[in-house]
Amino acid sequence: MRRPMTLLLPALLSVLTAALGTTLNAVPAGADSTPPSASPSTSPPSTSPPSAAPTGADGAPRKAAPAGGQPYASYWHPATILNWNPATDPDARFNRSRVPLRPRASDPALKANANARAGEGRIASLVSFGPTSNNPSQGALDPNYYAFGYWQYVDTLVFWGGSASEGLILAPNATVIDAAHRNGVKVFGTVFFPPTAYGGQIQWVRDFVQKTGSTYPVADKLAEVAEYYGFDGWFINQETAGGDTAMATEMRQLIKYARAKKPVEFMWYDAMTESGSISWQNALTSANDAFLADPGRVSDSMFLNFWWNTGGLASSRDRARSLGRSPYELYSGIDTEANGYDTSVGWDSVFPPGLPHVTSLGIYRPEWTWKSSTSRADFYTRDARFWVGANGDPSDTTTSSPWKGLAHYVAESTPITAKPFVTSFNTGHGDFYNAGGTRVRTGGWNNLSMQDVPPTYRWIVSSTGTRLTPSIDFADAYEGGSSLRLTGKLDAANTVRLYQTKLPVAADTKLSVVVKTPAAGQTHLKAAIAFADAPTTFTTLDLGSTSGTGWERKTLDLSAYAGRTVAQLGLQASAPSPVDSYDIRVGQIAVYDGAVGTPAAPTGLTVLGSSDLSATGKSLRLAWTVSARGPAHHYEVYRRNPDGTRTYLGATPNDAYFVPRLDRVGTETTTVIEVEAVSAEYGRSAAATATVTWSGGTPTETNFAIGRPASASGQCNADEGPAKAVNGSVAGGRTDKWCTLTTAKWLEVDLGEARSLTRFVVKHAQAGGEPASMNTRDFTIEVRSSTISPWTTAVTATGNTSATSTHPVSVTARYVRLVVTRPTQNSDPAARIYEFEAWGS
């Protein structure tokens, strides 16, 4: 993607720290000026070798080994995709999405912002969720993840990636497809042909468009991959020089051929012209319009390069209409990878005030909000500002900043058009996992397959007094790792709009709300419902009192409203006298008919393979047959503990799941694995079971810190959190570490129970490939047996220069803490720890 030569050096530096062959355009989009005459350039492909799922010489991903190893998202070169077969690819089953694309609705009467328009300009989001060759199929044991939550403003998500050194064709992983489809958002994979200066080869383009008789073999595979994995289309970015008119013609014919074969869509990037040359038009022109229509439909949409201007977009709109195409099938690109909401954008060129939108909008790399953040709270603050503006309120985008938020221009859409509808405000990542209000796992995780539909309005609160503060709370949950929390001074009625819906009410429809209060007594909370015949007027239903401090479900009968349609769901808090410190958590809201359904149990649970991580830890690949009465909402995977309790291992809507870590408890010789189906209303089936056998009688020395919950004084970047220091890897590039710049520098790990420890191992900067001068010089290791016990020092290290340091001890501890007092050999202030290991038996 195009930018001036003067910005090449920053782009190179950026790419050297990111394992992706993608581009960076810091040019202001939409400026009414002629682009610089300097030659365009793009950033190089990844220079970092993959840390897992290595490729062969031909760029094809090697098969997962051993049998229980981590599956990854699929990627290929044009020649190697021809060999792909889901029946022989051991990772393929784990990359399938079982969540169909939900229909969406958007009621203009319910749009949050008066300036926003419904049914006009759309938004396409090009997102890099991870490196091309090291992107887990089904989440990971790390809470630090781009858990996107503003789907209501996005129509298409492009799973961005690809590089010359790894693979040019990248299919999205299952978790992203699941989350997007649940929100009614289409998902595209990426086909990326890089410039020749950065590894691109015109032969790869020839391989891509090669024709055999009347068929295009690569196109057949693109359609097959999309159909099997369950996503919707492909984004084609062809920037390799050396093409000609014949090649460009074959490219168009390939797209038309693929679209005719299967229901697969294509978005074309404005780079290759009809002559075959690479010449960014920044508009729909006579040089590139044949990729949209020639005159029949070719691509379903086009992403216009970033250097557009007002006149160019107006002419693009007119040209699209002359071709019989909607101007909203053109996505005017903006590049937010480097500067996020500080990017200069000519908003009025795309979304002129008070007038119909000119085109749609394409956002390149909005995950800047996560990449640039220093904590989860910082990420959520940045993401809110990016999507709904500086006030965190989509109805009020007043700001002195040119960036008003996307909610200022585009009205919200909702996928909540059918019952049952259930949300537990699960964001798809967290520090623990709860099921039915019970803690069934401790430790960080991410899995967008488990993300609920986020609130449509984040946040709109109306009150004649002090407004309460809604937030996503990661300290407690009813289902998953988060809940909704309302806090503040309650001195007047507060109405919190949450969801736009389109839910018909029947004679047996119920609304249930699960709440938790700090003390037994009045909740001062009501469910708020607006119906389609009066969509902005709320009817309230009192949730009454709680009997204790645990989660309690309040079920309301909606039969009195049968025949009407719920248009909005919200909450209203009010009290007869002021409550200075109002605090209530909402763990679940559900609208459903009849009784809560109990699904049939899955059958045929099988351990496809296992891999030993240590003498007391394994990873597993599991598969089962879905419930006989149709697929469940999802399946939850547990282990049965020796004391009869259960520990949550993960969940998926799929019929296969990878368990990243199963820990042996004591000297148990076998572990029973259980998988149960969970209905859309959260009814649970009986469990299917399988048994895992442990070899050997007495466990040998093991690293008890690996995969355990970790916390820290801070982190340098969103992808350098404390979990990276206990993930068992140092080979994942320079973000495979914990890094902090805080004044006090500490990393703490909860080993789960008191362990007898014999040694600590610390892997410093050089162990991960950084200079020896960055190795930690002075540090201590402290231990304690409980959270109320004092810390005691077990290790004091001064003058360390080693890449890996080993420290024998003889202690028993549950909590271990590394305290860095001098982080490097020089004045560099950053502590860099690639692994912190606590060994024992």
Side-chain angles (χ1 to χ4, degrees):
M1 290 186 172
R2 191 182 187 190
R3 75 184 138 329
M5 187 65 74
T6 55
L7 293 173
L8 179 57
L9 181 57
L12 284 168
L13 295 175
S14 173
V15 170
L16 288 174
T17 60
L20 285 170
T22 54
T23 59
L24 173 70
N25 179 358
V27 178
D32 284 314
S33 60
T34 303
S37 58
S39 300
S41 180
T42 55
S43 53
S46 168
T47 56
S48 302
S51 61
T55 60
D58 61 357
R62 295 175 185 166
K63 301 306 180 186
Q70 169 74 61
Y72 293 99
S74 298
Y75 56 94
W76 307 269
H77 283 77
T80 60
I81 196 174
L82 298 177
N83 300 320
W84 179 78
N85 183 337
T88 57
D89 179 354
D91 286 2
R93 187 171 184 175
F94 298 87
N95 281 307
R96 298 191 80 176
S97 170
R98 302 286 185 172
V99 178
L101 179 66
R102 293 293 305 269
R104 297 209 296 185
S106 182
D107 185 346
L110 295 177
K111 64 182 184 179
N113 196 284
N115 183 76
R117 303 179 75 93
E120 295 185 11
R122 308 162 191 163
I123 294 179
S125 183
L126 279 62
V127 180
S128 170
F129 285 91
T132 297
S133 61
N134 193 23
N135 198 332
S137 303
Q138 297 176 311
L141 300 180
D142 186 350
N144 293 302
Y145 193 71
Y146 181 56
F148 178 62
Y150 289 93
W151 300 100
Q152 64 269 40
Y153 302 109
V154 175
D155 296 271
T156 301
L157 183 138
V158 176
F159 192 80
W160 184 255
S163 74
S165 61
E166 297 166 296
L168 310 180
I169 303 170
L170 177 64
N173 64 14
T175 55
V176 172
I177 305 171
D178 289 343
H181 278 188
R182 191 171 288 123
N183 285 276
V185 174
K186 293 179 180 179
V187 181
F188 288 3
T190 298
V191 180
F192 174 59
F193 295 103
T196 53
Y198 305 121
Q201 300 177 26
I202 195 62
Q203 183 59 46
W204 287 336
V205 186
R206 295 191 186 103
D207 292 343
F208 186 77
V209 300
Q210 183 177 355
K211 194 172 184 180
T212 302
S214 61
T215 69
Y216 290 91
V218 173
D220 285 332
K221 283 298 180 182
L222 293 180
E224 181 186 1
V225 168
E227 181 178 44
Y228 181 83
Y229 285 156
F231 61 95
D232 308 284
W234 294 94
F235 181 98
I236 301 185
N237 178 8
Q238 203 305 83
E239 296 187 82
T240 305
D244 54 21
T245 301
M247 178 178 287
T249 300
E250 289 299 328
M251 183 70 76
R252 297 196 299 276
Q253 293 302 315
L254 177 148
I255 293 171
K256 290 196 289 185
Y257 168 87
R259 289 182 57 256
K261 292 278 289 186
K262 300 282 185 180
V264 58
E265 297 184 15
F266 287 87
M267 182 179 288
W268 179 259
Y269 170 56
D270 160 34
M272 185 187 205
T273 64
E274 294 160 31
S275 70
S277 65
I278 304 304
S279 178
W280 296 265
Q281 301 298 296
N282 308 292
L284 183 67
T285 71
S286 59
N288 65 9
D289 62 1
F291 287 100
L292 196 65
D294 68 350
R297 191 179 190 90
V298 183
S299 297
D300 297 273
S301 54
M302 182 180 290
F303 187 102
L304 304 180
N305 190 55
F306 308 122
W307 290 2
W308 42 262
N309 55 44
T310 300
L313 293 193
S315 67
S316 298
R317 173 195 59 200
D318 296 342
R319 182 173 289 272
R321 287 172 174 169
S322 72
L323 296 172
R325 302 295 293 273
S326 168
Y328 303 131
E329 293 170 343
L330 303 177
Y331 291 82
S332 301
I334 63 173
D335 179 2
T336 63
E337 181 185 25
N339 297 309
Y341 43 66
D342 291 323
T343 301
S344 178
V345 176
W347 293 107
D348 291 354
S349 300
V350 188
F351 303 137
L355 296 173
H357 295 162
V358 178
T359 68
S360 293
L361 186 74
I363 307 176
Y364 180 68
R365 308 298 295 277
E367 79 277 9
W368 171 89
T369 58
W370 177 67
K371 287 285 188 180
S372 65
S373 65
T374 57
S375 66
R376 180 163 54 209
D378 186 37
F379 159 56
Y380 275 87
T381 298
R382 288 170 180 259
D383 221 32
R385 182 176 172 188
F386 190 101
W387 292 97
V388 302
N391 303 318
D393 178 348
S395 68
D396 178 13
T397 50
T398 305
T399 177
S400 59
S401 169
W403 189 285
K404 299 180 185 301
L406 279 302
H408 183 78
Y409 307 102
V410 178
E412 302 82 0
S413 294
T414 178
I416 308 169
T417 59
K419 295 171 291 183
F421 166 65
V422 179
T423 176
S424 301
F425 304 96
N426 185 2
T427 61
H429 66 159
D431 304 317
F432 58 86
Y433 203 96
N434 282 6
T438 299
R439 185 66 48 89
V440 290
R441 171 183 162 75
T442 59
W445 59 277
N446 72 77
N447 184 355
L448 285 184
S449 291
M450 292 297 98
Q451 185 188 67
D452 291 320
V453 175
T456 312
Y457 308 106
R458 287 173 52 190
W459 303 98
I460 299 180
V461 181
S462 60
S463 175
T464 58
T466 306
R467 286 197 294 181
L468 294 177
T469 300
S471 63
I472 298 297
D473 178 55
F474 289 91
D476 203 353
Y478 184 69
E479 294 282 350
S482 50
S483 57
L484 172 66
R485 190 176 187 181
L486 303 177
T487 56
K489 183 176 183 179
L490 182 59
D491 55 12
N494 274 252
T495 301
V496 183
R497 291 174 65 185
L498 291 175
Y499 289 96
Q500 184 182 149
T501 67
K502 195 175 181 181
L503 300 176
V505 180
D508 60 349
T509 301
K510 296 179 178 63
L511 167 64
S512 72
V513 183
V514 177
V515 296
K516 176 182 271 193
T517 53
Q522 275 292 326
T523 61
H524 301 305
L525 193 65
K526 300 175 182 179
I529 309 171
F531 296 99
D533 50 6
T536 60
T537 301
F538 283 99
T539 298
T540 59
L541 303 170
D542 199 342
L543 297 180
S545 302
T546 56
S547 59
T549 58
W551 291 109
E552 297 185 25
R553 183 180 297 276
K554 308 296 181 180
T555 302
L556 306 170
D557 183 358
L558 299 186
S559 60
Y561 308 100
R564 302 175 77 181
T565 298
V566 178
Q568 288 195 81
L569 280 173
L571 297 166
Q572 188 179 94
S574 62
S577 59
V579 179
D580 289 335
S581 298
Y582 185 69
D583 189 352
I584 191 167
R585 287 183 171 90
V586 180
Q588 189 178 85
I589 297 177
V591 181
Y592 59 96
D593 293 339
V596 172
T598 301
T603 57
L605 175 60
T606 303
V607 180
L608 298 177
S610 66
S611 296
D612 289 334
L613 303 175
S614 68
T616 59
K618 298 178 182 287
S619 60
L620 307 174
R621 290 186 176 209
L622 306 175
W624 55 86
T625 301
V626 299
S627 305
R629 292 195 294 271
H633 179 270
H634 67 273
Y635 298 86
E636 293 182 349
V637 183
Y638 293 87
R639 63 148 295 150
R640 182 66 65 173
N641 299 317
D643 63 1
T645 62
R646 297 197 306 174
T647 298
Y648 172 88
L649 300 177
T652 179
N654 202 351
D655 63 359
Y657 185 70
F658 171 71
V659 177
R661 185 171 184 89
L662 173 70
D663 286 312
R664 184 180 187 180
V665 177
T667 58
E668 64 179 350
T669 57
T670 60
T671 300
V672 174
I673 304 298
E674 300 181 350
V675 175
E676 61 186 24
V678 182
S679 72
E681 304 99 325
Y682 277 81
R684 288 180 163 85
S685 75
T689 62
T691 300
V692 174
T693 300
W694 298 94
S695 59
T698 302
T700 57
E701 189 182 42
T702 190
N703 174 17
F704 293 118
I706 190 169
R708 296 302 306 168
S711 57
S713 55
Q715 57 196 72
C716 297
N717 295 294
D719 52 358
E720 295 178 332
K724 292 292 183 70
V726 291
N727 67 355
S729 168
V730 298
R734 294 192 175 187
T735 60
D736 194 9
K737 67 173 180 288
W738 167 64
C739 173
T740 187
L741 286 162
T742 53
T743 302
K745 299 174 173 65
W746 55 264
L747 169 71
E748 181 179 334
V749 183
D750 178 1
L751 304 181
E753 61 182 275
R755 301 288 192 177
S756 178
L757 303 178
T758 56
R759 61 188 170 104
F760 290 101
V761 176
V762 185
K763 296 182 179 179
H764 308 275
Q766 191 179 9
E770 298 192 65
S773 61
M774 296 179 179
N775 287 336
T776 319
R777 182 178 175 87
D778 301 337
F779 56 93
T780 61
I781 299 175
E782 302 173 340
V783 298
R784 63 179 178 178
S785 58
S786 71
T787 55
I788 61 173
S789 303
W791 289 102
T792 60
T793 300
V795 173
T796 298
T798 58
N800 173 66
T801 59
S802 301
T804 299
S805 58
T806 300
H807 311 277
V809 294
S810 179
V811 297
T812 299
R814 173 174 175 174
Y815 301 95
V816 297
R817 183 167 69 174
L818 174 68
V819 180
V820 176
T821 52
R822 186 169 176 181
T824 59
Q825 308 298 307
N826 48 39
S827 60
D828 188 320
R832 301 168 178 87
I833 303 296
Y834 278 78
E835 281 297 301
F836 179 38
E837 301 172 352
W839 290 85
S841 59

